Amino acid sequence: MKREPPPELLRAAFTGGDIGAIEDFCYELLADIEWRCVQEHFGEMQIAGRGLCYSAAQIDHYIFKLVSQCYAAQLPPPISLVELISAHLNQDIKYDKKSHEFGRGKAVALREAIEYKKLNPDASNREIAKAVGVDHTTIGRWKLGERLVSHPKCNG
């Protein structure tokens, strides 16, 4: 049994050059990699073989298709795709002793910051930083306002 992504997510990511859909699919795959790393950390075996997560070969295939889609649509690869490639190559999940959670550090905080900004559009950088656990200057460097404006799902 092989895990398959939702058909609507595949269709959106691989037709029409929708950068928002490409990012969503990248985050789906990133979350799967993170989940698999956590499960393996706790001794779970044969997770992909049991259809509980995507296999490495599937992720290879999807990364190739995502890069090809960006190239065909003449889009720069989104940072989420770069993070996906890095995570897939490294799979270096980190354990935060303070929060007792697993995560990818900056990638997780950036996604949380984007989600927080979507839900709280008037939030200051300091407020966002406090909510996601990073310094307020980091939020400024991430330029969340520009990321949200360029993200098609945030404009509708």
Side-chain angles (χ1 to χ4, degrees):
M1 172 169 44
K2 184 165 83 167
R3 180 169 180 206
E4 295 293 337
E8 62 279 358
L9 186 58
L10 277 177
R11 193 172 22 264
F14 297 120
T15 57
D18 180 355
I19 196 72
I22 291 170
E23 287 181 324
D24 289 345
F25 191 56
C26 288
Y27 287 132
E28 159 87 10
L29 295 173
L30 269 167
D32 190 78
I33 290 170
E34 291 174 6
W35 182 83
R36 182 178 63 223
C37 288
V38 170
Q39 295 305 308
E40 288 172 351
H41 176 81
F42 287 111
E44 285 288 327
M45 303 298 283
Q46 302 296 321
I47 299 168
R50 292 185 288 161
L52 301 175
C53 67
Y54 301 113
S55 70
Q58 282 178 292
I59 294 175
D60 287 341
H61 173 74
Y62 291 134
I63 287 173
F64 173 77
K65 288 187 73 162
L66 289 165
V67 171
S68 297
Q69 179 64 24
C70 288
Y71 179 77
Q74 296 182 342
L75 296 169
I79 191 68
S80 57
L81 180 52
V82 175
E83 290 171 356
L84 171 62
I85 293 168
S86 175
H88 184 56
L89 293 175
N90 296 326
Q91 296 192 19
D92 57 347
I93 203 79
K94 294 177 178 68
Y95 181 73
D96 183 353
K97 292 179 183 177
K98 186 175 180 182
S99 67
H100 302 289
E101 293 179 356
F102 287 88
R104 300 209 71 75
K106 178 185 170 189
V108 171
L110 175 58
R111 284 197 306 268
E112 289 174 355
I114 290 170
E115 288 304 313
Y116 190 90
K117 184 70 172 177
K118 283 183 199 175
L119 296 172
N120 305 287
D122 297 327
S124 68
N125 285 355
R126 288 182 187 273
E127 182 182 340
I128 297 167
K130 185 175 181 182
V132 301
V134 298
D135 190 81
H136 70 94
T137 58
T138 302
I139 299 295
R141 283 193 309 275
W142 284 346
K143 298 181 170 94
L144 295 181
E146 291 175 22
R147 288 177 187 264
L148 292 175
V149 168
S150 66
H151 194 288
K153 289 191 173 186
C154 299
N155 295 330

